[in-house]
Amino acid sequence: MSHLCIESQLLSKERQNVTFLIEELTNIWDGGKEETMIRRRVEKLFADDPELKSPPLCTMTRDEEFTEATRKSAYIYRHFIPKHKLYPSSRESKHLTSVLFRAQPLATNLFIHMGVFVYCIKTMGSDKQVAKWLQLAKNLNIIGTYAQTELGHGSFLRGLETQATYDRTTQEFVINCPQLSSMKWWPGDLGVNANHALVMANLIIDNKKYGMHAFIVQIRDLSTHKPLPGVSVGDIGNKFGLGSTDNGFLYLKNVRIPLENLLNKNAEVKPDGTYLKKASDRLVYGSMVNLRVSIPKQCTDVLAKACTIAIRYSGVRRQGLLKPDGAEVPILDYTLQQHKLIPQLATVYATNFAGLQIQKKYEVFLQNLSNDDISDLAELHALSASFKASVSEQGTEGVEVCRRACGGHGYSQASGLPSLLARVTPACTYEGENTVLYLQTARFLMKCASKKAKDLPKSVTFLVQPTQMMNINNVTSLDFIVHCFKSRATICVQAAAKRLQQTMGQGVEINEAWNKNAVELVKAAKAYVMQFIVDGFTTFVKGLKCSKPTKKIFEDLCSLYGLHFINNNSGDFLKLGIITAHHCNLAEEAEIELLGKLRPNAVGIVDAFDFSDFSLDSCLGAYDGNVYERLFDMAKLSPLNKEQVHQASYKYLRPYLLEGRDILEGSKSKL
Amino acid sequence: MSHLCIESQLLSKERQNVTFLIEELTNIWDGGKEETMIRRRVEKLFADDPELKSPPLCTMTRDEEFTEATRKSAYIYRHFIPKHKLYPSSRESKHLTSVLFRAQPLATNLFIHMGVFVYCIKTMGSDKQVAKWLQLAKNLNIIGTYAQTELGHGSFLRGLETQATYDRTTQEFVINCPQLSSMKWWPGDLGVNANHALVMANLIIDNKKYGMHAFIVQIRDLSTHKPLPGVSVGDIGNKFGLGSTDNGFLYLKNVRIPLENLLNKNAEVKPDGTYLKKASDRLVYGSMVNLRVSIPKQCTDVLAKACTIAIRYSGVRRQGLLKPDGAEVPILDYTLQQHKLIPQLATVYATNFAGLQIQKKYEVFLQNLSNDDISDLAELHALSASFKASVSEQGTEGVEVCRRACGGHGYSQASGLPSLLARVTPACTYEGENTVLYLQTARFLMKCASKKAKDLPKSVTFLVQPTQMMNINNVTSLDFIVHCFKSRATICVQAAAKRLQQTMGQGVEINEAWNKNAVELVKAAKAYVMQFIVDGFTTFVKGLKCSKPTKKIFEDLCSLYGLHFINNNSGDFLKLGIITAHHCNLAEEAEIELLGKLRPNAVGIVDAFDFSDFSLDSCLGAYDGNVYERLFDMAKLSPLNKEQVHQASYKYLRPYLLEGRDILEGSKSKL
């Protein structure tokens, strides 16, 4: 249809009513005007390349998805990146990762190879090993995976069972998975594509165990790509989303690798079996922190996409009346719809800009690290662990809220929302299961609670200081909101510490005492990270230099984020005496008022994320709002519509339907 | 492996420690000993029939799933049911539905045909129409759908756009979808299999609109199954789960049907165009209530399955230590895991047994209906609407909690958990979007609030009476818990009514006033239905006659359900002055204590649901606990493992890997 459909007209009207400059918000979001420019350039390269086009995801089988992902990934690393000189040193490269991630799930193969296998060789290999393997890996001349998790063990690293036994006579390691539960399970790029694996295994020399080490193991033949003797490798089967990802299993039986395949920058085995420790393993934490900083950003981006889809759709979906004889209204006019969606927008902002604070801390840490100073590591680890946990949970919940807020169409794969959900939720589990991560943060907090303020990093001294009362004039004030979250964190941490002490005072052994108080401990960790997010976002907003209307958007989203959480968890604040029932009522009213204020700008705010239709891949979320035509066009592509009559299915009904024909036509001829 | 793996041994040990008779619990769950017997008989018929076997769901494409579902459904209705005489009048038939549902998603095709199309003919057709169509439909001689929802309209029925215009000259109705958004979208069994549709359309005679009526429209040729002229019909594309379901679109352009195809029990059009209303549409509510009573039961069953899988798996998954030098412990020993899973078990019980109370009310309603007494309809409608909304939400949240509590393996389709999630979550949207349903309940509650106690059904008089204070000795006491929920409902309903009055007192028009206070109104509806669930379950538990250990399980689950909710929503109770901060602390401690009490029986309680391995269809949840071997066996069946080398994918990597071979073998030959 060439004329502008009513849905498109509605979105245009929304855009006319926006009170701020969308481009300004986009620039802030990207981290500056120039960054926006570079990002757009990279996105355009990606979108314009015919090799990077795919059929719509929702029309493909898993096998097709998988194959397509391999095709595109290989093309990207061997052609697209060199052609456009998007090397890691270039300013474009930062955006490349995000563009690739935006274009998931159809460009995700070789992520573990490129991101982890290559990285491990670089950081854990000796110079000689780097010289041998690095360039090969970068060129896809070998394809590797990072094989740590086993069928029977994930979180508890000490429980991993795979063994690498040194055989002095041949100067080889013999790699074995002693039992079924020891086989490697889940590693990305492993099942089908990899011909090498970086296997984490217990090093054993002369029956003595030396703990986990990293070994490069060739698993498939270099010519035929067939599994080598002793290697059982394959795909682990279909998953909740991520169909294109090559998660595999690897069962190793007496696979022999040369001595030189132990990555030996930090630890070495001499030909005679002597074991040499060369550097601390603690440095490995640095890279874990790195990964945990990048995951929240990905979750935030996914939620931003979901918000874009749901808010644009709510601007064009008309349903029901607000005036008895008026026209039907877009569902975004309903307070309940605003109450579902706009807080998700606030979550995107809060987690994104609080994340920048961790990023800064991480950069400082890396500087200190180069001077062998790792004093910030404990805090950074605690913060990044709980931040990853919290943002992945908020992202998952938020995407699901957005999805369900789209009614029936939110179930269509064509909406893009189910695949966003499937993309964000695994972040709750990979790279540290969230509950385990919260407990790690709690460990840090309990250590803090046992110290004096002067012995703590400045950023956490508030945890051991008395909370202060505050005179409240205005519940939407950012100072008040930050105060509430800080007080809650302090009280929760101190209470958990006290209970832990009490339990142990009764003679309960430490692990058991932790277990008994685990619910409280996780609550303390959550309170800690929430105060960090609220504080971090507030700090950013206060320091932000921009036009007044844009600043107002930030302030409103910041208040909304805090108030929405307080209203949904008011018990925590009431019980601890931080606020009163009266404040609760004010906070609830203030939230509804903020929703009303933000509503006219909602479409503008999601426009500012600047997702292209290509990267959104959603019939409901496209810029022009032409949702129904898109849904219909996409439906026509359904594989089940290939034939006018679906013969495979019809054959089971045909005999009965022909009986029906005879009866109906018989009765007709009788008439 | 013929020996008992350690995982199986662990589950056996769990079962040895159970303190109650599992069979007794099963009988209560089924509604009596005899019902258990009949259910098992039906399940066995189903499980033993080779025609009802399918490949594992997680190994199939959507197209295969769909075809398999048609095959099985046709077989069930035309062979299995007649062969075993499982007719609607038999005692077995009740269990058949649940067995079919348990065996979803591979036996769900023709559900809308059998459940709704057939039902509508029976209840909305004249005797003549019933005589003509009913038997044909039952025999699958015609296959129909119920086409109401349109691309552009779902919840707001008055907004539906499809038209049936009477043409007096030919005595036909002309059916039209005036625009793209008017096409029927979502109806089950429509896209591929149906050759008829019950189309809901606006009746128009001489330019006058008579509202929605039901028309039988033939859409495919009886011989060739090809779409008829003017009919555009097909599959709407892939969805979040339910891949096997035949959700379709239907675009009708000047499709003519004879006068007799208007289902005319309640309303009739004479050949000359005279319109006759014969009965009230209000009676249709009865069938809606019926559907809304059956959906919660299905959600509860899905959650029961998820609990079975997650709890059994948690009994065999060993990870980490509770004593420094002890053996690794099953994760069910961790308080945090108990805190995730056992409340879900309580939810299964609470929603199941509270649902029985609605069932009873419904039966009374049907009796009264036969005397033309529909005085209970308003309450029953309000109750079943919010109950459907609440149980579908609790079910969805619960399944997701169970899924994530299984760590990485919870993402595997082989765990069965992702497909349970995909099965339960659509219940939040179909047959009434939950938010819309809560508002309908709120409408009833606001009417109640404006009346005197003596003018209300007895079951809701508490809503208009003052709440009482209660002396609390024991926070786990069921009386105390019920009191908390009733008080909360009363205060919320009265507060919402007051605010609504205030807003309208300011001259705001009613729809707008509802919109302004919608968050409060939904809160009131939620508080109302939660008090019903807690009260209903408590009433059941108190009246239950059984052995003492079994009774204890019920009492503990009942307390846990209430306390878990109070602890997670303490703000609502604190703010309203129903409990104090001190009670909160007691309630939190009491919950942890209850988890510890229930933990030794957790595996026994899920065993009592008596799901067969066949119906669970989960590698993690099978009775014997042999999870790792099952996961490995299932992975081997992955379509991506069909060839040792996945040629489709490999071809994109081969050139680079061969380069690598040449470099590596070149360097070797140099050595």
Side-chain angles (χ1 to χ4, degrees):
Chain A
M1 296 180 196
S2 60
H3 68 278
L4 217 55
C5 65
I6 179 136
E7 286 76 25
S8 298
Q9 292 170 27
L10 283 168
L11 270 195
S12 299
K13 224 174 88 187
E14 291 282 345
R15 287 175 181 127
Q16 282 158 19
N17 293 337
V18 164
T19 62
F20 66 99
L21 268 177
I22 293 175
E23 184 68 12
E24 187 185 13
L25 203 52
T26 301
N27 292 337
I28 298 171
W29 186 254
D30 282 324
K33 254 189 190 173
E34 212 187 350
E35 295 296 329
T36 300
M37 222 177 60
I38 299 171
R39 174 183 56 74
R40 284 187 181 146
R41 197 157 62 216
V42 176
E43 278 190 341
K44 193 166 171 349
L45 291 176
F46 204 94
D48 288 350
D49 192 325
E51 290 290 325
L52 294 175
K53 299 261 178 293
S54 292
L57 181 63
C58 59
T59 64
M60 296 164 91
T61 66
R62 184 183 166 223
D63 208 324
E64 290 163 352
E65 247 185 77
F66 170 74
T67 302
E68 183 66 1
T70 304
R71 181 187 72 74
K72 283 168 78 167
S73 302
Y75 174 79
I76 287 168
Y77 293 114
R78 284 292 304 238
H79 298 276
F80 183 74
I81 291 179
K83 183 172 157 197
H84 300 296
K85 305 200 170 54
L86 304 171
Y87 300 115
S89 54
S90 69
R91 292 197 58 183
E92 279 81 3
S93 83
K94 175 180 129 196
H95 297 289
L96 177 66
T97 314
S98 93
V99 169
L100 283 181
F101 189 80
R102 283 173 174 220
Q104 256 194 326
L106 285 181
T108 52
N109 279 351
L110 310 182
F111 257 36
I112 297 297
H113 166 72
M114 276 302 190
V116 188
F117 184 72
V118 166
Y119 180 86
C120 285
I121 290 174
K122 213 159 45 178
T123 54
M124 298 162 79
S126 64
D127 294 345
K128 198 176 148 195
Q129 288 172 323
V130 170
K132 175 172 181 188
W133 300 107
L134 190 63
Q135 205 50 45
L136 285 171
K138 282 186 170 176
N139 287 345
L140 308 187
N141 296 140
I142 59 171
I143 292 173
T145 178
Y146 178 80
Q148 175 177 300
T149 300
E150 296 174 357
L151 190 48
H153 278 92
S155 300
F156 185 62
L157 296 186
R158 275 189 290 153
L160 292 171
E161 299 168 342
T162 300
Q163 298 176 343
T165 311
Y166 186 58
D167 179 347
R168 191 181 290 110
T169 57
T170 60
Q171 298 186 11
E172 289 172 322
F173 296 104
V174 188
I175 316 282
N176 264 303
C177 301
Q179 52 192 342
L180 203 70
S181 61
S182 336
M183 91 172 85
K184 298 299 179 184
W185 195 272
W186 278 113
D189 295 326
L190 165 61
V192 173
N193 286 335
N195 62 3
H196 283 72
L198 195 107
V199 174
M200 298 302 290
N202 287 295
L203 171 62
I204 300 175
I205 309 171
D206 295 333
N207 294 318
K208 191 175 162 197
K209 290 187 177 175
Y210 290 85
M212 300 302 290
H213 288 73
F215 302 85
I216 293 189
V217 182
Q218 186 187 331
I219 58 175
R220 285 181 183 265
D221 185 85
L222 300 176
S223 296
T224 64
H225 205 59
K226 285 193 180 156
L228 293 178
V231 174
S232 178
V233 63
D235 172 59
I236 62 166
N238 208 356
K239 294 142 290 181
F240 183 31
L242 301 179
S244 65
T245 308
D246 181 17
N247 299 106
F249 63 80
L250 178 66
Y251 203 3
L252 299 168
K253 280 283 166 210
N254 292 317
V255 174
R256 289 180 165 264
I257 57 168
L259 178 58
E260 62 179 33
N261 281 23
L262 163 66
L263 286 186
N264 58 17
K265 184 176 182 182
N266 299 337
E268 194 178 350
V269 175
K270 296 281 177 195
D272 67 356
T274 314
Y275 179 80
L276 277 179
K277 188 88 194 160
K278 298 197 276 191
S280 160
D281 287 336
R282 290 190 70 190
L283 297 180
V284 178
Y285 279 108
S287 68
M288 270 170 55
V289 170
N290 182 21
L291 209 53
R292 286 197 190 133
V293 174
S294 69
I295 292 172
K297 175 63 183 155
Q298 292 167 0
C299 295
T300 299
D301 273 357
V302 171
L303 182 55
K305 272 192 182 182
C307 286
T308 305
I309 296 169
I311 287 178
R312 285 184 181 159
Y313 176 64
S314 299
V316 304
R317 174 75 170 184
R318 286 162 304 141
Q319 200 85 179
L321 310 170
L322 274 176
K323 298 207 172 82
D325 296 314
E328 285 193 74
V329 297
I331 55 178
L332 197 51
D333 282 352
Y334 290 104
T335 306
L336 286 167
Q337 191 75 353
Q338 297 162 16
H339 191 252
K340 288 175 187 174
L341 296 180
I342 302 181
Q344 307 316 321
L345 214 45
T347 301
V348 172
Y349 270 71
T351 54
N352 185 71
F353 293 106
L356 292 184
Q357 312 290 325
I358 298 193
Q359 194 66 48
K360 271 188 209 158
K361 275 179 189 277
Y362 181 56
E363 281 154 20
V364 171
F365 165 75
L366 287 181
Q367 277 170 11
N368 294 343
L369 186 64
S370 58
N371 303 324
D372 282 338
D373 169 6
I374 55 165
S375 56
D376 303 342
L377 183 59
E379 187 196 354
L380 186 60
H381 174 66
L383 201 51
S384 63
S386 53
F387 188 67
K388 178 270 192 187
S390 183
V391 177
S392 59
E393 282 168 14
Q394 292 184 56
T396 301
E397 270 169 48
V399 171
E400 179 66 1
V401 167
C402 291
R403 192 183 69 73
R404 278 203 237 158
C406 293
H409 294 319
Y411 293 87
S412 279
Q413 296 287 356
S415 72
L417 291 164
S419 76
L420 290 178
L421 182 66
R423 201 184 310 171
V424 71
T425 180
C428 296
T429 307
Y430 59 57
E431 301 307 327
E433 197 278 327
N434 282 354
T435 302
V436 174
L437 292 182
Y438 282 127
L439 285 174
Q440 289 179 7
T441 300
R443 217 165 299 262
F444 167 75
L445 295 173
M446 293 305 103
K447 272 187 199 152
C448 290
S450 70
K451 289 183 182 166
K452 296 220 160 60
K454 66 177 175 56
D455 300 326
L456 288 173
K458 221 180 122 198
S459 50
V460 290
T461 50
F462 73 96
L463 290 174
V464 297
Q465 287 164 340
T467 55
Q468 318 229 302
M469 285 307 290
M470 192 174 173
N471 274 331
I472 302 141
N473 299 317
N474 175 4
V475 292
T476 61
S477 108
L478 298 183
D479 288 337
F480 166 65
I481 292 170
V482 169
H483 160 78
C484 288
F485 281 85
K486 283 211 178 289
S487 301
R488 173 168 167 263
T490 302
I491 301 176
C492 284
V493 167
Q494 291 178 1
K498 198 173 148 195
R499 288 183 58 156
L500 199 57
Q501 281 307 323
Q502 280 173 348
T503 312
M504 287 169 64
Q506 290 156 9
V508 179
E509 192 277 321
I510 182 158
N511 284 13
E512 195 51 65
W514 269 77
N515 190 28
K516 268 190 193 309
N517 295 295
V519 172
E520 289 297 309
L521 287 161
V522 167
K523 200 181 264 185
K526 287 183 175 174
Y528 164 72
V529 73
M530 278 308 298
Q531 81 54 47
F532 170 80
I533 295 173
V534 170
D535 187 46
F537 185 28
T538 304
T539 305
F540 178 85
V541 171
K542 285 188 173 174
L544 180 66
K545 287 187 186 29
C546 65
S547 73
K548 227 172 149 184
T550 298
K551 182 96 169 184
K552 191 81 196 105
I553 302 282
F554 272 91
E555 286 165 352
D556 286 347
L557 285 173
C558 194
S559 295
L560 178 64
Y561 183 73
L563 289 177
H564 186 73
F565 185 90
I566 291 175
N567 289 335
N568 281 347
N569 301 273
S570 56
D572 279 11
F573 297 88
L574 280 166
K575 198 180 66 178
L576 306 176
I578 300 165
I579 56 172
T580 65
H582 176 61
H583 296 138
C584 281
N585 292 333
L586 294 178
E588 284 169 14
E589 281 167 27
E591 182 180 353
I592 305 290
E593 211 171 296
L594 279 170
L595 296 176
K597 270 193 207 169
L598 284 160
R599 186 255 169 270
N601 284 320
V603 169
I605 297 171
V606 298
D607 281 353
F609 293 134
D610 203 25
F611 291 112
S612 66
D613 286 354
F614 172 77
S615 108
L616 275 178
D617 197 15
S618 162
C619 292
L620 299 188
Y623 187 83
D624 66 7
N626 193 0
V627 295
Y628 300 127
E629 199 172 329
R630 276 173 209 278
L631 281 170
F632 190 35
D633 287 345
M634 190 62 83
K636 289 180 206 151
L637 299 177
S638 166
L640 268 64
N641 294 331
K642 252 182 214 154
E643 313 165 276
Q644 256 200 328
V645 177
H646 190 282
Q647 295 297 342
S649 178
Y650 179 53
K651 78 167 178 235
Y652 297 111
L653 302 172
R654 193 163 174 273
Y656 316 125
L657 294 177
L658 291 183
E659 275 173 34
R661 176 200 61 187
D662 294 342
I663 296 168
L664 281 166
E665 293 188 348
S667 72
K668 230 182 244 169
S669 64
K670 264 184 247 162
L671 287 177
Chain B
M1 296 180 196
S2 60
H3 69 279
L4 220 54
C5 65
I6 181 136
E7 286 75 25
S8 297
Q9 291 170 28
L10 283 168
L11 270 195
S12 300
K13 225 173 85 186
E14 291 282 345
R15 287 171 180 129
Q16 283 158 20
N17 292 338
V18 164
T19 63
F20 66 98
L21 268 176
I22 292 176
E23 183 69 10
E24 188 185 11
L25 203 51
T26 301
N27 293 336
I28 297 171
W29 187 253
D30 283 324
K33 252 187 193 175
E34 215 187 345
E35 296 295 330
T36 300
M37 221 176 60
I38 299 172
R39 174 183 56 73
R40 284 187 181 146
R41 198 157 63 216
V42 176
E43 279 191 340
K44 195 167 168 351
L45 291 176
F46 204 95
D48 287 350
D49 192 326
E51 291 289 325
L52 295 176
K53 299 262 179 291
S54 293
L57 181 62
C58 59
T59 64
M60 295 165 91
T61 65
R62 185 184 166 220
D63 208 325
E64 289 164 350
E65 247 185 77
F66 171 74
T67 302
E68 183 67 1
T70 304
R71 181 188 72 73
K72 282 168 81 168
S73 302
Y75 174 79
I76 287 167
Y77 292 115
R78 284 293 304 237
H79 298 276
F80 183 76
I81 292 178
K83 183 173 157 198
H84 300 297
K85 304 199 171 57
L86 303 172
Y87 301 114
S89 54
S90 70
R91 291 198 57 182
E92 280 80 3
S93 81
K94 175 180 127 193
H95 297 289
L96 177 65
T97 313
S98 93
V99 169
L100 282 181
F101 190 78
R102 282 173 175 220
Q104 256 193 326
L106 286 182
T108 52
N109 279 352
L110 310 182
F111 257 37
I112 297 297
H113 167 72
M114 277 300 190
V116 187
F117 184 73
V118 165
Y119 180 86
C120 286
I121 290 174
K122 213 159 47 177
T123 54
M124 299 161 78
S126 64
D127 292 346
K128 198 176 149 196
Q129 288 172 324
V130 170
K132 176 172 179 188
W133 300 107
L134 188 64
Q135 204 51 44
L136 285 170
K138 281 186 171 176
N139 286 345
L140 308 187
N141 297 140
I142 59 172
I143 291 173
T145 178
Y146 178 80
Q148 176 177 300
T149 300
E150 296 174 357
L151 190 49
H153 279 93
S155 300
F156 185 62
L157 296 187
R158 275 189 290 152
L160 292 171
E161 299 169 342
T162 300
Q163 299 176 343
T165 311
Y166 185 60
D167 179 347
R168 192 181 289 109
T169 56
T170 60
Q171 297 187 13
E172 288 171 321
F173 296 104
V174 189
I175 316 281
N176 264 304
C177 302
Q179 51 192 345
L180 202 71
S181 61
S182 337
M183 93 172 84
K184 299 297 180 184
W185 195 271
W186 277 114
D189 294 328
L190 165 60
V192 173
N193 285 335
N195 61 4
H196 283 73
L198 196 107
V199 173
M200 297 303 289
N202 287 296
L203 172 62
I204 300 176
I205 309 173
D206 296 331
N207 294 316
K208 190 173 162 198
K209 289 187 177 177
Y210 291 85
M212 299 301 290
H213 288 74
F215 301 85
I216 293 189
V217 182
Q218 185 185 332
I219 56 175
R220 286 181 182 265
D221 184 85
L222 300 176
S223 296
T224 64
H225 205 58
K226 286 194 179 154
L228 294 179
V231 173
S232 178
V233 63
D235 173 58
I236 62 165
N238 209 355
K239 295 141 291 180
F240 183 31
L242 302 178
S244 65
T245 308
D246 181 16
N247 298 106
F249 65 79
L250 178 64
Y251 203 3
L252 299 168
K253 280 282 165 209
N254 292 319
V255 174
R256 290 179 163 264
I257 57 169
L259 179 59
E260 63 180 31
N261 281 24
L262 163 67
L263 287 186
N264 58 18
K265 186 176 181 182
N266 299 336
E268 195 177 348
V269 174
K270 296 282 177 196
D272 67 357
T274 314
Y275 180 79
L276 277 179
K277 189 86 194 159
K278 299 196 278 189
S280 160
D281 287 337
R282 291 192 69 191
L283 297 179
V284 178
Y285 279 109
S287 68
M288 269 169 57
V289 170
N290 182 23
L291 209 53
R292 286 199 189 132
V293 174
S294 70
I295 291 172
K297 175 64 182 154
Q298 292 167 0
C299 295
T300 299
D301 274 356
V302 171
L303 182 56
K305 273 192 181 181
C307 286
T308 305
I309 296 169
I311 287 177
R312 284 183 182 160
Y313 176 63
S314 300
V316 304
R317 173 75 169 185
R318 287 161 303 140
Q319 201 85 179
L321 310 170
L322 274 176
K323 298 207 171 82
D325 297 313
E328 285 193 76
V329 298
I331 55 178
L332 197 50
D333 283 352
Y334 290 104
T335 306
L336 285 167
Q337 190 75 353
Q338 296 162 17
H339 191 251
K340 288 175 187 173
L341 296 178
I342 303 181
Q344 307 316 320
L345 215 45
T347 301
V348 172
Y349 270 71
T351 54
N352 186 71
F353 293 107
L356 292 184
Q357 312 290 325
I358 297 193
Q359 193 66 48
K360 271 187 208 159
K361 276 179 190 276
Y362 181 56
E363 280 155 20
V364 171
F365 165 76
L366 287 181
Q367 278 170 10
N368 294 343
L369 186 64
S370 59
N371 302 324
D372 282 338
D373 169 6
I374 56 165
S375 56
D376 303 342
L377 183 59
E379 186 196 355
L380 187 59
H381 174 66
L383 200 51
S384 63
S386 53
F387 188 67
K388 178 271 190 187
S390 182
V391 177
S392 58
E393 281 168 15
Q394 292 183 57
T396 301
E397 269 168 49
V399 171
E400 179 66 0
V401 168
C402 290
R403 193 183 68 74
R404 277 201 238 159
C406 292
H409 294 320
Y411 293 86
S412 279
Q413 295 286 356
S415 72
L417 291 165
S419 75
L420 290 178
L421 182 64
R423 202 185 311 171
V424 72
T425 181
C428 296
T429 306
Y430 61 57
E431 301 307 327
E433 196 278 327
N434 282 355
T435 302
V436 174
L437 291 182
Y438 282 128
L439 285 174
Q440 289 178 9
T441 301
R443 216 164 297 262
F444 167 76
L445 295 173
M446 292 306 102
K447 272 188 198 151
C448 288
S450 70
K451 290 183 183 168
K452 296 222 159 60
K454 67 178 176 53
D455 300 325
L456 287 174
K458 221 181 121 198
S459 49
V460 289
T461 50
F462 73 95
L463 290 174
V464 297
Q465 287 164 340
T467 55
Q468 320 231 302
M469 285 307 291
M470 192 174 172
N471 273 329
I472 302 139
N473 299 316
N474 176 4
V475 291
T476 61
S477 110
L478 298 183
D479 289 337
F480 165 65
I481 292 170
V482 169
H483 159 78
C484 289
F485 281 86
K486 282 208 178 292
S487 302
R488 173 167 167 264
T490 302
I491 301 176
C492 285
V493 167
Q494 292 177 1
K498 198 174 147 194
R499 287 183 58 156
L500 200 57
Q501 281 307 322
Q502 280 173 348
T503 312
M504 286 168 64
Q506 291 157 8
V508 179
E509 193 277 321
I510 182 157
N511 284 13
E512 196 51 65
W514 269 77
N515 190 27
K516 269 191 192 307
N517 295 294
V519 172
E520 288 298 309
L521 287 161
V522 167
K523 200 181 262 187
K526 287 183 175 175
Y528 164 72
V529 72
M530 278 307 298
Q531 87 46 53
F532 170 81
I533 295 173
V534 170
D535 187 47
F537 185 29
T538 305
T539 306
F540 179 86
V541 172
K542 285 188 173 175
L544 179 67
K545 285 186 187 31
C546 65
S547 72
K548 228 172 147 181
T550 299
K551 182 97 170 184
K552 191 82 196 104
I553 302 283
F554 273 91
E555 286 165 351
D556 287 346
L557 285 173
C558 194
S559 296
L560 178 63
Y561 183 72
L563 289 177
H564 186 72
F565 186 91
I566 291 174
N567 289 334
N568 280 347
N569 301 272
S570 56
D572 279 10
F573 298 88
L574 280 165
K575 197 180 66 177
L576 307 176
I578 301 165
I579 57 172
T580 64
H582 175 62
H583 296 137
C584 281
N585 292 333
L586 293 178
E588 283 169 14
E589 281 167 28
E591 181 179 355
I592 306 290
E593 210 170 296
L594 279 169
L595 295 176
K597 270 193 205 167
L598 284 160
R599 186 255 171 269
N601 284 320
V603 169
I605 297 171
V606 297
D607 281 355
F609 294 133
D610 204 25
F611 291 112
S612 66
D613 286 354
F614 171 77
S615 105
L616 275 179
D617 196 16
S618 162
C619 293
L620 299 188
Y623 187 83
D624 66 7
N626 192 1
V627 296
Y628 300 126
E629 199 172 329
R630 276 174 210 277
L631 281 171
F632 190 34
D633 288 345
M634 189 62 82
K636 289 179 205 153
L637 298 177
S638 166
L640 268 62
N641 294 330
K642 252 182 212 151
E643 312 165 275
Q644 257 201 327
V645 177
H646 190 283
Q647 295 298 343
S649 178
Y650 178 52
K651 77 166 177 235
Y652 298 110
L653 302 173
R654 195 164 173 272
Y656 316 124
L657 294 177
L658 291 183
E659 275 174 33
R661 176 199 62 188
D662 294 343
I663 295 168
L664 281 166
E665 293 188 347
S667 72
K668 230 182 242 168
S669 65
K670 265 183 249 161
L671 287 178

